[in-house]
Amino acid sequence: MPPFLKEYFNRNGLGLGSVMLGLVLFWTVGLIILPQLSMLDFSFRPNLPPPEIGGPKDLYTLENYKYLIFGPEGGSQDYNAVDLRVFYRTLIAAVLVTLFNLMLCYPIAYYLAQTKGNHIRVLALMLIIPYWINEILRAFALRIIFGESGVLNNILVGAGVFDTPFDFIRNDIALYAGLGYAYILLMIFPIYNVIESLDRNQIEAARDMGASWTRIHRRVVIPYAKPGISSGCTMVFMLSAGALAAPQILGGPSSLWFTQLIYQQFNDNSDWPQGAAYAVVLLVTCILLVLALMRVFKVNMGDIGK
């Protein structure tokens, strides 16, 4: 038995350790790896009627991936401009949502972690309570707030900021705000957990030496909080790129999300192989982007898992 397993069972006992290990393996293999392998297999299959599945025509093919790049055969364009544009826009939007969440959540996480008092518990509770409400209901609530006759437009028009209601939906502001709000806790708490363990004496020492707050955060706090920042950014980016409910409810007519194309292939077109290919491309691209950024910012997988 490997040394780390011996240490694991010595710490948790054979019975409890076996149950915990079994649940983790079931979660990882049964609910993540096997479904993704099935999706990968689907992506290389032709779209055939059910009676022909498993027959001589059911051979592996790259046509589903070619369709994403080149579109249908005999099309008027050399490339599948519509789907590729939606794909790139989804990735860029996910990056922007991640950066927006980081800029918003880092000061909140720092304040929660470095401030003592009962009011901090109240603030944390105020952050958590809205998430007792279903994500769909929260998205519809945001649509009411950002609608042309919504609360925000009534306030802005009444204050004289706008003469006529501003279309937050068509300009994607509601969508980005909705995505940022949906995953705000996934950014705050990883950063909070790391900064909470930071020795305040380091900050006080930097202040005594005349360092500005900007320099303290850049040289002391942010390097220490890098694991939490990496974890939060990874989760927010992956979930934003794979979001479906928020784009469906808060997106304007020109803000098609790549996950909506996947949904259309699976449900509207009944083309599961094409939908699987789109899903695999999105998953692999997001993973590669995360790994590339981890390499750029010198973050390893162990840091994210802290």
Side-chain angles (χ1 to χ4, degrees), residues 236-268:
V236 172
F237 172 75
M238 297 294 284
L239 290 173
S240 297
L244 179 61
Q248 288 275 59
I249 298 171
L250 296 172
S254 61
S255 60
L256 191 63
W257 217 252
F258 196 69
T259 48
Q260 293 174 281
L261 295 182
I262 297 173
Y263 178 87
Q264 291 173 7
Q265 294 293 347
F266 273 105
N267 293 276
D268 299 341

Side-chain angles (χ1 to χ4, degrees), residues 198-236:
L198 175 62
D199 187 356
R200 295 185 184 181
N201 291 328
Q202 296 185 37
I203 299 176
E204 293 300 327
R207 292 181 63 184
D208 291 342
M209 296 178 67
S212 63
W213 276 112
T214 302
R215 189 174 181 84
I216 290 173
H217 282 279
R218 183 165 54 88
R219 300 295 296 272
V220 178
V221 182
I222 291 178
Y224 187 84
K226 188 183 291 186
I229 294 173
S230 303
S231 179
C233 289
T234 299
M235 290 190 289
V236 172

Side-chain angles (χ1 to χ4, degrees), residues 127-169:
L127 288 171
I128 295 172
I129 285 179
Y131 290 85
W132 293 0
I133 302 173
N134 183 273
E135 180 184 359
I136 305 296
L137 297 180
R138 283 188 276 116
F140 275 112
L142 287 173
R143 187 173 181 89
I144 294 174
I145 292 173
F146 284 102
E148 289 191 21
S149 58
V151 177
L152 185 58
N153 264 315
N154 288 337
I155 293 174
L156 293 175
V157 172
V161 178
F162 297 132
D163 295 329
T164 58
F166 184 79
D167 196 342
F168 292 100
I169 304 295

Side-chain angles (χ1 to χ4, degrees), residues 11-59:
R11 188 186 316 119
N12 299 287
L14 183 60
L16 179 60
S18 299
V19 171
M20 293 173 59
L21 188 61
L23 290 174
V24 170
L25 288 175
F26 172 73
W27 172 269
T28 304
V29 178
L31 300 181
I32 299 177
I33 295 178
L34 291 181
Q36 297 304 321
L37 291 177
S38 177
M39 187 80 71
L40 182 64
D41 179 72
F42 257 115
S43 70
F44 289 106
R45 300 285 185 178
N47 187 29
L48 299 173
E52 297 184 15
I53 295 177
K57 295 183 180 180
D58 193 6
L59 302 175

